[in-house]
Amino acid sequence: MRVLIIGDLGGQLSAATKIAFERGAQVSHAASPAIALDSLRAGHGADLVMIDVKADIAWLYEALQTEHIAAPIVACGVEADADAAASAIHAGAREFIPLPPDAELIAAVLSAVSEDERTMIASDPAMMQVVELAEQIAPSDASVLITGESGVGKEVMARFVHQKSRRAGKTFISVNCAAIPENLLESELFGHEKGAFTGAMTRRIGKFEEANGGTLLLDEISEMDARLQAKLLRAIQEREIDRVGGNKPVKVDIRIVATSNRDLAEAVRSGDFREDLLYRLNVMNLRIPALRERRSDLVKLSDFFIDKYSAANGLPNKELSDEAREQINSSRWPGNVRELENAMHRAVILSRGPVIEADAIRTPDGAPLSSSTGHSNYESQIDLTVQRATETAHTAITAGLASVQVGRTVAEVEQDLILSTLDHCLGNRTHAANILGISIRTLRNKLRTYTDAGVEVAAPGETRAAG
């Protein structure tokens, strides 16, 4: 976790720096936003920027956006009033931390933007096989593709591979390919030269160069644009990159680890992913089993998260009752480890005493888990909605194909199918993509094309008829 502190280190901000350092962060300092920007441009990356609320946060935020630098901003200030916090957030800060600093609050903020403290918890034989394979391949420099459902802990595994490798003392850089807009991802990965585009006032070092000597994680690689896939393939093959607007290759020494929750072989068949890139990434494959396939890890993970969030909330250690353990073991946990972690966080907060009873383990909407069916009420409603949407969409597909008139193009039929499916899913892009059997990136690209052409597209939570 790399933290960049901006401002006068005297007084309370110095104390905040000390707390961040004690929590395991790598802390650097810049006296002003302009100096901080120069540092970030030069490749001295930061996972989090903490800045004095009196500094020009709006200028820094705009500069980071213009330079295509992804670094969340947290403002710190002695005046812990609503106006100071609101002004900081309005200027672009993600959070506001009042000073004097509270150690647990700073720890919570660091935890929110960092995955470093996520520990590998495994005892189930299905998971231990993957861990043993990871330890075996970690010392090599072979590219690794980590696959599995959402929430199984793919990034945790990537960090585990890095920590067991000969590059453990070097930088680990993670880039979420699905979270960064396509027009920004190229600069984020490869950097850019001065004048490469409007607003590129100076050279900027990308993640490939930041990770030089270490490991670069390309999270959700399946969502990368086809043009960038070609550039990435060359970077992996040649061990060199071209900055945007540059004319001279830059040598890099990195290990590539990629993750995906999609079947990349199917993505290759559908034309969404390059086959030659898949071969380059998939030298070694680590498939992480879903939580339902490693059930003997359930209680061990639960105990870990309970200890973690008891400490984070300043509460005494708690333990699970026998009924709570039985309920955890009998639930499906379709959101895998991420869902279990959130449930244990809620349970720590909702339980009144030192023992967490079954009624404290609830879904996000407050409904209790149903241990008899293995489904929560909340999850059952979602499953039923998706099931009905799928059935209705398939009916619509059949009816639509039966009523297709001669003269209609494939593109017109495809557009009707996509928009109808989206309507039936009440605008939920993820569910619609799953039903249609395409990636969320492909769906978004299609919808963007329709919107640009003036076609009405259902907003999330709505249908076109309701919109």
Side-chain angles (χ1 to χ4, degrees):
M1 176 64 173
R2 300 165 300 167
V3 178
L4 175 60
I5 308 283
I6 305 174
D8 184 1
L9 278 182
Q12 302 298 341
L13 196 57
S14 179
T17 303
K18 184 173 182 292
I19 293 172
F21 182 78
E22 289 174 346
R23 296 284 172 164
Q26 300 174 24
V27 183
S28 57
H29 173 248
S32 68
I35 295 174
L37 183 61
D38 287 340
S39 175
L40 293 169
R41 284 168 173 161
H44 305 298
D47 301 304
L48 177 69
V49 173
M50 296 177 67
I51 185 171
D52 190 327
V53 73
K54 296 177 182 177
D56 195 341
I57 297 174
W59 179 88
L60 178 63
Y61 177 79
E62 290 298 327
L64 294 179
Q65 294 294 107
T66 300
E67 294 282 343
H68 299 178
I69 298 175
I73 299 172
V74 172
C76 303
V78 176
E79 297 93 1
D81 58 75
D83 289 341
S87 296
I89 299 298
H90 181 72
R94 182 84 59 87
E95 299 283 351
F96 177 84
I97 296 179
L99 300 176
D102 178 84
E104 296 304 328
L105 179 58
I106 290 180
V109 171
L110 294 178
S111 177
V113 298
S114 171
E115 304 292 331
D116 287 337
E117 63 180 48
R118 292 195 175 187
T119 304
M120 179 65 67
I121 305 292
S123 60
D124 189 279
M127 188 62 185
M128 285 306 301
Q129 287 183 358
V130 183
V131 172
E132 289 169 4
L133 179 58
E135 290 181 322
Q136 186 177 351
I137 67 177
S140 74
D141 271 343
S143 297
V144 181
L145 179 62
I146 303 174
T147 56
E149 296 178 7
S150 293
V152 293
K154 295 187 288 294
E155 182 164 351
V156 177
M157 179 60 75
R159 292 181 182 275
F160 179 79
V161 170
H162 172 72
Q163 290 162 3
K164 295 292 183 178
S165 75
R166 64 181 180 83
R167 299 174 181 265
K170 302 294 184 178
T171 306
F172 178 94
I173 300 289
S174 174
V175 180
N176 189 324
C177 299
I180 301 174
E182 292 172 11
N183 62 324
L184 302 182
L185 184 57
E186 183 176 12
S187 177
E188 183 73 12
L189 288 173
F190 302 108
H192 60 249
E193 295 289 353
K194 179 180 179 180
F197 48 81
T198 302
M201 306 303 293
T202 187
R203 171 185 290 175
R204 186 266 171 105
I205 301 301
K207 298 301 185 185
F208 266 84
E209 290 180 78
E210 279 188 41
N212 194 34
T215 302
L216 177 63
L217 169 62
L218 299 173
D219 198 17
E220 300 304 341
I221 185 69
S222 57
E223 304 308 310
M224 181 178 287
D225 179 74
R227 182 180 62 85
L228 276 186
Q229 289 179 27
K231 190 167 182 177
L232 174 61
L233 176 63
R234 179 182 178 278
I236 296 175
Q237 288 175 331
E238 306 299 331
R239 296 294 169 180
E240 63 182 28
I241 57 102
D242 294 305
R243 301 191 190 107
V244 178
N247 54 21
K248 182 180 179 181
V250 179
K251 289 290 184 181
V252 290
D253 171 27
I254 60 173
R255 183 187 201 168
I256 298 289
V257 179
T259 73
S260 177
N261 59 11
R262 291 182 58 203
D263 182 346
L264 289 184
E266 178 59 36
V268 168
R269 287 190 289 271
S270 66
D272 288 335
F273 203 80
R274 293 180 62 108
E275 185 174 26
D276 47 5
L277 178 57
L278 176 57
Y279 289 143
R280 283 289 177 179
L281 294 172
N282 199 24
V283 176
M284 301 299 303
N285 179 254
L286 297 173
R287 178 196 170 273
I288 302 183
L291 200 50
R292 62 182 173 276
E293 300 171 31
R294 46 180 292 207
R295 302 198 72 85
S296 61
D297 282 342
L298 277 166
V299 171
K300 189 172 182 178
L301 283 163
S302 299
D303 289 339
F304 172 79
F305 292 133
I306 288 169
D307 290 344
K308 172 183 174 179
Y309 288 109
S310 294
N313 287 279
L315 299 171
N317 289 338
K318 301 190 177 195
E319 61 180 25
L320 292 164
S321 69
D322 292 340
E323 292 78 8
R325 289 173 184 267
E326 182 179 347
Q327 182 156 308
I328 289 169
N329 281 321
S330 61
S331 295
R332 284 181 65 246
W333 305 112
N336 293 296
V337 179
R338 185 182 297 120
E339 182 188 4
L340 177 66
E341 177 176 3
N342 291 339
M344 293 305 101
H345 192 175
R346 286 190 296 273
V348 166
I349 296 171
L350 293 174
S351 59
R352 298 183 182 278
V355 177
I356 296 176
E357 300 292 349
D359 60 1
I361 304 175
R362 296 178 174 269
T363 63
D365 63 351
L369 291 177
S370 172
S371 13
S372 59
T373 63
H375 266 72
S376 69
N377 294 338
Y378 178 75
E379 292 157 3
S380 296
Q381 291 170 7
I382 291 177
D383 289 346
L384 183 59
T385 299
V386 174
Q387 179 184 348
R388 287 175 175 171
T390 305
E391 292 170 352
T392 308
H394 286 170
T395 301
I397 292 169
T398 304
L401 290 175
S403 61
V404 170
Q405 297 177 354
V406 175
R408 297 194 74 198
T409 66
V410 173
E412 289 172 338
V413 176
E414 179 188 67
Q415 177 177 309
D416 286 348
L417 174 59
I418 289 175
L419 294 179
S420 296
T421 304
L422 190 64
D423 282 339
H424 287 300
C425 292
L426 296 178
N428 188 304
R429 272 66 174 159
T430 302
H431 290 168
N434 289 336
I435 291 170
L436 292 163
I438 60 178
S439 72
I440 187 67
R441 176 171 60 83
T442 298
L443 178 60
R444 286 171 179 161
N445 289 340
K446 296 283 187 184
L447 297 180
R448 188 182 303 116
T449 301
Y450 301 155
T451 302
D452 291 344
V455 178
E456 183 183 4
V457 173
E462 300 178 358
T463 66
R464 286 172 293 167

